[in-house]
Amino acid sequence: MILERYALHILLSILLSFMCGISLHASTRKSPQRIILWERNWATGGEAVPLLKIILDATREEFGSYELIKSVPMEQKRAMSELENRRTLDIVSIATDIDRESRLYPIRTPTDKGVIGYRVCLIHRDNRAMFRNIKSVMDLQTVRFGLGESWPDVQVLKHAQLLVVTSVRYEGLFPMLVNRRFDCFLRGVGEVEQELQRFAHPHMVLEENVLIIYPQPNYFFVNRENRALIHRLETGFTILLRNGGYDAFFDRFFQPQLNKLHIPKRQHIFLDNPHLTPETRKLMRDSRFKILF
């Protein structure tokens, strides 16, 4: 009887130790890192979401699991404010300029090797003839360009003394083009194909002659105080640059789109961008971010 009680006591002690171990493990296990990405980066079908997932997966062992969440819809100006004040956003993927790098923390590896600065025109189908003989910046001075009001590109074009028509709402630029409020809706070569499908209209077509180029890398931006996310993203990019994943992603995601647009055959027109920081200008000379056609 005494032996049976002793054996039962030992068994209960073992079970209690086992249960405590499970409880301790569960309490120390990290919950997924919640990361709220700007809704526009999901809606456009660009590189932000798939690239961000690759970076987060590459850092899972060191930083743990994650939950990537879509923000509520908002225009770019509000997204900047929300991120700066760390309210409803953790990260955005947007083109850089001096102002944005002063207010937010740029993860200083381009998400697109600077493809956002390689621009083509969406035009009204009846305006094709306007672009056939364009060969220089001077030839562009009769063209009205449509852009978002808060986009850095506005200042780039104005610096080149080109005519710019703006809209507060990104989606509103497509009907403005159809109604001929401007002549060229200037789009990045990595986004235009998806937009032609998403906002399809019989009067809106892709112009086939001109390519406007200016230095304009796209970065992931986060709040300056979000050190955990900054460290994770910078670590992830370092991994991808070392193991070839960065170039592989670019080739897989962007190269088919570039091929369809016949980039080498277009008339290349170069603009200066005076609104980049010295750090970004230096980065754009880095051979790792050169685009080869």
Side-chain angles (χ1 to χ4, degrees):
M1 188 70 175
I2 295 175
L3 288 175
E4 289 177 356
R5 287 180 181 175
Y6 181 73
L8 181 60
H9 177 74
I10 294 296
L11 179 61
L12 288 173
S13 297
I14 293 171
L15 287 173
L16 183 61
S17 298
F18 179 70
M19 294 302 295
C20 286
I22 292 176
S23 176
L24 179 62
H25 180 71
S27 66
T28 56
R29 185 187 300 138
K30 290 183 178 179
S31 58
Q33 183 181 15
R34 295 179 76 254
I35 302 169
I36 303 175
L37 174 67
W38 183 30
E39 178 270 344
R40 178 74 54 75
N41 292 142
W42 299 78
T44 58
E47 80 282 355
V49 174
L51 179 57
L52 185 55
K53 287 181 177 178
I54 290 172
I55 290 169
L56 295 173
D57 286 338
T59 54
R60 189 189 293 269
E61 183 176 345
E62 180 176 352
F63 294 89
S65 60
Y66 65 90
E67 182 183 5
L68 192 57
I69 302 167
K70 184 189 302 185
S71 79
V72 298
M74 64 186 80
E75 292 301 319
Q76 190 171 118
K77 188 174 182 179
R78 181 188 161 195
M80 291 279 296
S81 176
E82 292 291 303
L83 185 57
E84 185 176 15
N85 293 288
R86 206 171 181 181
R87 288 193 289 255
T88 60
L89 278 178
D90 294 309
I91 182 169
V92 299
S93 175
I94 50 176
T96 191
D97 66 8
I98 293 172
D99 176 65
R100 292 175 176 187
E101 291 188 32
S102 70
R103 296 165 57 191
L104 303 168
Y105 189 96
I107 306 300
R108 213 178 289 281
T109 301
T111 64
D112 60 353
K113 290 193 177 184
V115 157
I116 195 71
Y118 287 66
R119 296 274 174 163
V120 293
C121 288
L122 289 178
I123 64 172
H124 192 286
R125 67 180 185 184
D126 294 339
N127 280 355
R128 288 187 177 99
M130 173 185 283
F131 295 87
R132 282 183 190 142
N133 297 315
I134 288 179
K135 292 181 172 57
S136 67
V137 176
M138 186 173 295
D139 294 335
L140 292 174
Q141 290 180 345
T142 59
V143 177
R144 297 168 300 163
F145 291 90
L147 291 168
E149 182 182 66
S150 62
W151 298 356
D153 315 79
V154 172
Q155 298 307 316
V156 174
L157 267 64
K158 286 185 175 180
H159 179 73
Q161 299 184 331
L162 302 180
L163 302 173
V164 180
V165 178
T166 63
S167 170
V168 174
R169 293 183 61 254
Y170 159 74
E171 290 84 357
L173 287 158
F174 295 91
M176 287 174 68
L177 172 63
V178 170
N179 291 318
R180 305 178 83 162
R181 295 276 302 279
F182 49 79
D183 307 307
C184 163
F185 185 12
L186 203 59
R187 308 309 299 135
V189 296
E191 58 195 353
V192 68
E193 183 180 14
Q194 189 274 339
E195 289 175 331
L196 274 170
Q197 298 172 6
R198 183 181 173 203
F199 299 98
H201 190 284
H203 291 166
M204 183 174 70
V205 297
L206 176 66
E207 195 283 321
E208 298 180 349
N209 174 54
V210 175
L211 178 72
I212 298 174
I213 303 172
Y214 45 89
Q216 184 74 93
N218 206 81
Y219 290 150
F220 285 126
F221 283 91
V222 300
N223 184 282
R224 290 185 172 275
E225 296 179 0
N226 196 346
R227 303 307 303 179
L229 185 54
I230 289 171
H231 185 32
R232 183 167 190 165
L233 295 174
E234 290 181 338
T235 300
F237 267 123
T238 298
I239 292 170
L240 295 185
L241 287 167
R242 285 177 178 171
N243 68 14
Y246 180 81
D247 284 333
F249 176 81
F250 181 89
D251 291 343
R252 184 172 67 254
F253 191 89
F254 287 107
Q255 204 60 55
Q257 301 175 52
L258 299 179
N259 294 340
K260 288 180 183 179
L261 293 172
H262 307 293
I263 299 299
K265 296 180 180 180
R266 288 175 174 265
Q267 184 67 49
H268 294 190
I269 299 175
F270 295 89
L271 305 181
D272 181 33
N273 183 353
H275 302 284
L276 297 178
T277 62
E279 294 87 351
T280 291
R281 287 189 178 278
K282 180 180 178 181
L283 184 83
M284 295 310 293
R285 295 193 292 270
D286 191 319
S287 60
R288 294 175 299 175
F289 309 123
K290 294 298 182 185
I291 302 171
L292 303 176
F293 298 113

